[in-house]
Amino acid sequence: MSEKTFPVSAEFAAQANINKAQFEEMYARSIDDPEGFWDEQANKYVSWFKPWKKTMDWSFDQEDLHINWFTEAKLNVSYNCIDRHLEKRADQVAIIWEGDSPEDTRKITYRELHEEVSKFANVLKARGVEKGDRVSLYLPMIPEAAIAMLACTRIGAIHSIVFGGFSPEALASRINDSDCRVVITADQSMRGGRRVPLKSNADIALEHCPNVHSCIVVKRGGDPIEWTEDRDVWYHEAVDAASADCEPEQMDSEDPLFILYTSGSTGTPKGVQHTTGGYLVQAAMTHEAVFDYKEGDVYWCTADVGWVTGHTYIVYGPLANGATTVMFEGIPTYPDISRFWEVVDKHNVSIFYTAPTAIRSLMGAGNEPVEKTSRKSLRVLGTVGEPINPEAWEWYYNIVGNGKCPIVDTWWQTETGGHMMTPLPGVNDLKPGSAMQPFFGVNPVLLDDEGNEIEGSPAAGNLAIDRPWPAMIRTVFGDHKRFYETYFSMFKGYYFTGDGARRDEDGHYWITGRVDDVLNVSGHRLGTAEIEAALGLHEKVAEAAVVGYPHDLTGQGIYAYVTLMDGEVGTDELKTELVKLVRAEIGPIAKINLIQWSPGLPKTRSGKIMRRILRKIATNEIDSLGDTSTLADPSVVDDLIEHRENS
Ligand code: 6R9
């Protein structure tokens, strides 16, 4: 925690979309009269084919769990992100694509986007895709990713994007869970000068996906690939032959828009399902209010479209607002460590949104690579994905932003669809590391472990939300029971975020991290259960327990306790094998940092692993292990402490 605050400048506040007085009035109204408030916002940010009957209709109860916004209204997302802008901004650039190599740049106007999206929507139709069908996207950060997303929304298909860094196994399980029949991929992806063989990964995955009849392949790298006749189609050939005429489908406000898989405390990743109307309203409104977005801004979010941040803040929010959005294929350190700032200068980026892990790694290389660039176009900075430490925050503020750009530290989740807590750049005196205050319509509460609201400040507890917001998750795809159990069963009457938070003396919020078995490594969510299941696939592994521990660069590191079949201590070769196995099963983001051979794990008499103890040992908080007397065999703890790996 930092004691310093960084006041908003009078100059910035004077030009901001929302100032302090406006914020206070609007926030109070959003809580006291949510229907009136959201009616106005929905009309301001979205064009509807047909108005709604009821603004919101919901229940968080087990028997009747449902969340509906703007009932019976009709709209189309691609119409809102493209068609309605054509009159005024057909020749404005919608997407600036910056390739992995600085030589590769492409600008796509709203007119061109309209044509490409319409054509590709017709390609999908020709491959038999109908309203409500699921389509899987496994793509690099190329314009075709945004085009494919928008083409799906144009015809009412539901996209399910799988991050290009996931393994064939992870791709196959996601394709099958949502029963996608069509997959869109590319021959290769290019990142930092290296190629990832996306198509051959997809080929391996599709061996396990009997229902997939079409695989549409974008040519990116140009290396030779295997080809399955009748199933595989080149994107460019199909699009060239397609008509550019495609009426947008009239979708119901509550028709599903997309599914995005994310990790939870238990089991396999869940298909988080978002719907159309409410999601788009909140995406557009937050993009304008939180980034102080204005006509003429060049906006850059460095996320990948494989994560929710890429969905809401590269594609849907900015394009709904008619913005120019930058899409970056590469990495911050290629061809050199100044790349981010060179791209800022090259395209005159005014709003820049990235992850704390990127800031921390760039900070390590010192100020010179930043200071040799101009960055004079920058106006607003943002962070997302994990808590930011005050040191990284101040470096971002002083060095990257030259002490003149407010930083919005935006807390939200795949499940929330859009920003939930964040400072507003024209409103707050900033506190490094604090997400400050709820966005409009969001009423956060801190609960004790029994589910009682903790009133007053300062306070700390489990972070929950007491009412729905428009962009909220509607269900877990194919498993409404799991939806209830995951988010509403812990604290009755609330959506439980899985995060812990603190409210300071001034009533400002500080996210303290996950309180469940979800890890956050470099801003990527990983379930301990998934990693344990992958370890369990090895014939020598009897049991494994995985926990997180603080890591300077990645926020959290992965610490695995592994019990072998023979109960013995394993070799270093076996450690390497296990690390590789998990990487192959899940993807390179699931990189185990430390493995400790553990002849026994601390279990209760009913056989439940006490992770609390394992977390303390991994973090080297041996003095505060707490009560170990309920363990079936308390002596295993001494052995674990004695042989702990240095984290
Ligand atoms: C958008 C996104 C969600 C989890 C969330 C929390 C962590 C996100 C944060 C933050 C502190 C922030 N998180 N933003 N923690 N400060 N500004 O990241 O979605 O991948 O689903 O992760 O990330 O723990 O619960 P997702």
Side-chain angles (χ1 to χ4, degrees):
M1 182 190 156
S2 160
E3 299 299 318
K4 278 195 228 164
T5 62
F6 292 75
V8 56
S9 74
E11 200 187 335
F12 193 99
Q15 61 80 59
N17 290 342
I18 298 175
N19 65 31
K20 198 169 167 60
Q22 287 164 319
F23 171 77
E24 273 158 17
E25 194 220 303
M26 281 172 76
Y27 182 76
R29 169 132 192 263
S30 76
I31 297 299
D32 301 341
D33 173 21
E35 306 224 337
F37 178 84
W38 285 113
D39 281 354
E40 252 170 49
Q41 305 309 324
N43 279 317
K44 177 173 171 194
Y45 288 98
V46 169
S47 303
W48 305 82
F49 297 137
K50 197 182 135 210
W52 49 96
K53 293 233 165 81
K54 234 172 157 262
T55 311
M56 59 204 285
D57 165 33
W58 62 284
S59 161
F60 286 174
D61 294 343
Q62 183 168 12
E63 292 70 38
D64 187 30
L65 175 59
H66 70 279
I67 299 126
N68 296 324
W69 282 85
F70 312 114
T71 64
E72 293 177 52
K74 301 280 184 205
L75 75 159
N76 180 279
V77 168
S78 88
Y79 176 87
N80 272 278
C81 290
I82 311 171
D83 303 47
R84 66 168 172 159
H85 304 314
L86 291 179
E87 202 184 322
K88 201 174 146 202
R89 52 180 94 248
D91 295 316
Q92 183 199 307
V93 174
I95 298 175
I96 299 177
W97 177 71
E98 171 76 14
D100 187 46
S101 152
E103 266 105 70
D104 272 344
T105 303
R106 189 177 154 198
K107 292 185 176 171
I108 300 171
T109 63
Y110 274 96
R111 189 198 314 282
E112 290 162 345
L113 189 61
H114 181 254
E115 185 176 327
E116 278 270 321
V117 167
S118 302
K119 283 184 169 183
F120 191 57
N122 281 329
V123 169
L124 291 175
K125 275 190 187 169
R127 303 298 304 187
V129 178
E130 292 177 7
K131 180 173 169 175
D133 288 350
R134 276 80 56 203
V135 174
S136 179
L137 276 59
Y138 184 61
L139 283 165
M141 283 290 289
I142 51 178
E144 287 77 4
I147 291 164
M149 292 164 78
L150 290 161
C152 286
T153 72
R154 197 161 188 89
I155 63 172
I158 304 164
H159 59 70
S160 166
I161 307 188
V162 180
F163 173 57
F166 277 124
S167 66
E169 286 71 19
L171 173 63
S173 70
R174 284 158 173 80
I175 289 173
N176 289 332
D177 185 79
S178 50
D179 193 18
C180 292
R181 311 284 170 100
V182 173
V183 174
I184 305 164
T185 188
D187 50 0
Q188 289 91 40
S189 78
M190 326 254 270
R191 277 169 60 79
R194 286 210 300 256
R195 288 163 180 241
V196 180
L198 287 186
K199 171 64 162 62
S200 67
N201 283 353
D203 285 338
I204 300 168
L206 293 184
E207 283 169 24
H208 309 283
C209 305
N211 291 341
V212 172
H213 56 69
S214 294
C215 178
I216 303 174
V217 187
V218 182
K219 194 176 236 169
R220 171 64 189 114
D223 292 349
I225 50 172
E226 301 272 317
W227 201 256
T228 304
E229 288 304 329
D230 301 332
R231 187 196 71 189
D232 296 350
V233 194
W234 280 114
Y235 174 94
H236 59 275
E237 287 177 4
V239 163
D240 281 352
S243 146
D245 240 345
C246 179
E247 268 304 295
E249 194 75 33
Q250 301 223 352
M251 302 301 290
D252 192 277
S253 178
E254 282 301 333
D255 277 337
L257 178 63
F258 65 82
I259 299 167
L260 183 57
Y261 285 85
T262 194
S263 299
S265 307
T266 55
T268 51
K270 300 177 289 279
V272 170
Q273 185 165 308
H274 284 287
T275 60
T276 307
Y279 172 82
L280 194 64
V281 170
Q282 193 166 345
M285 184 188 185
T286 49
H287 174 258
E288 189 187 56
V290 174
F291 298 114
D292 194 46
Y293 168 74
K294 298 197 179 66
E295 186 84 38
D297 272 318
V298 175
Y299 164 88
W300 181 17
C301 164
T302 70
D304 189 288
V305 291
W307 310 114
V308 73
T309 305
H311 284 64
T312 310
Y313 298 110
I314 294 177
V315 179
Y316 293 122
L319 295 180
N321 289 332
T324 297
T325 183
V326 178
M327 200 173 175
F328 178 46
E329 185 184 35
I331 58 170
T333 49
Y334 178 82
D336 61 55
I337 196 141
S338 294
R339 184 70 188 277
F340 270 0
W341 326 120
E342 276 156 7
V343 175
V344 166
D345 286 351
K346 177 173 171 186
H347 299 300
N348 279 311
V349 171
S350 50
I351 302 169
F352 179 76
Y353 189 32
T354 196
T357 189
I359 299 164
R360 281 194 298 268
S361 71
L362 296 175
M363 185 171 76
N367 301 352
E368 195 270 340
V370 187
E371 285 171 344
K372 73 178 197 201
T373 62
S374 145
R375 291 156 287 109
K376 67 172 189 304
S377 54
L378 288 176
R379 223 163 55 72
V380 176
L381 302 173
T383 72
V384 57
E386 48 178 327
I388 183 165
N389 46 312
E391 194 193 357
W393 193 102
E394 288 193 35
W395 185 81
Y396 194 30
Y397 185 82
N398 289 321
I399 307 303
V400 175
N402 279 341
K404 68 174 177 64
C405 306
I407 298 177
V408 288
D409 178 350
T410 59
W411 172 82
W412 60 296
Q413 309 178 297
T414 304
E415 294 87 343
T416 71
H419 296 151
M420 294 294 281
M421 285 217 252
T422 173
L424 295 187
V427 172
N428 295 97
D429 292 346
L430 302 164
K431 298 180 179 177
S434 170
M436 303 299 289
Q437 82 235 334
F439 189 73
F440 303 114
V442 175
N443 194 33
V445 293
L446 297 178
L447 303 177
D448 66 20
D449 290 343
E450 279 68 55
N452 306 305
E453 284 191 28
I454 309 169
E455 309 279 347
S457 301
N462 300 297
L463 178 63
I465 318 284
D466 77 348
R467 66 189 70 187
W469 56 96
M472 175 175 194
I473 176 177
R474 299 301 198 263
T475 192
V476 169
F477 182 81
D479 201 346
H480 203 56
K481 188 164 164 273
R482 193 169 176 203
F483 179 49
Y484 173 78
E485 275 157 15
T486 309
Y487 304 104
F488 303 96
S489 67
M490 184 90 91
F491 302 113
K492 301 276 183 293
Y494 300 93
Y495 166 87
F496 176 46
T497 64
D499 279 315
R502 204 162 59 70
R503 195 165 50 219
D504 69 17
E505 302 70 28
D506 306 320
H508 293 133
Y509 287 88
W510 303 69
I511 307 298
T512 48
R514 302 289 304 197
V515 293
D516 55 9
D517 294 323
V518 172
L519 305 181
N520 191 330
V521 180
S522 297
H524 301 317
R525 262 169 84 164
L526 289 164
T528 51
E530 288 164 71
I531 305 171
E532 288 160 7
L535 286 167
L537 294 174
H538 197 286
E539 56 180 16
K540 292 194 175 142
V541 172
E543 193 168 36
V546 168
V547 298
Y549 68 93
H551 188 283
D552 283 348
L553 219 52
T554 57
Q556 271 191 313
I558 305 177
Y559 194 117
Y561 297 88
V562 176
T563 310
L564 295 178
M565 288 292 185
D566 57 11
E568 294 293 314
V569 168
T571 59
D572 284 351
E573 288 74 48
L574 184 54
K575 278 192 183 176
T576 311
E577 251 177 70
L578 292 178
V579 170
K580 277 201 191 137
L581 171 65
V582 171
R583 187 188 152 99
E585 276 302 307
I586 301 174
I589 57 169
K591 185 177 164 293
I592 296 187
N593 301 73
L594 297 165
I595 293 179
Q596 174 171 356
W597 304 120
S598 319
L601 291 168
K603 291 187 184 169
T604 60
R605 285 189 198 97
S606 60
K608 202 169 171 294
I609 296 175
M610 288 190 76
R611 287 163 187 286
R612 175 176 58 81
I613 293 173
L614 294 176
R615 271 191 222 114
K616 293 274 181 195
I617 295 174
T619 317
N620 204 6
E621 291 175 18
I622 313 294
D623 300 340
S624 56
L625 282 186
D627 183 14
T628 55
S629 63
T630 55
L631 290 177
D633 176 8
S635 75
V636 298
V637 174
D638 298 328
D639 182 78
L640 288 175
I641 292 172
E642 192 183 332
H643 297 106
R644 73 177 278 280
E645 292 289 320
N646 241 327
S647 49

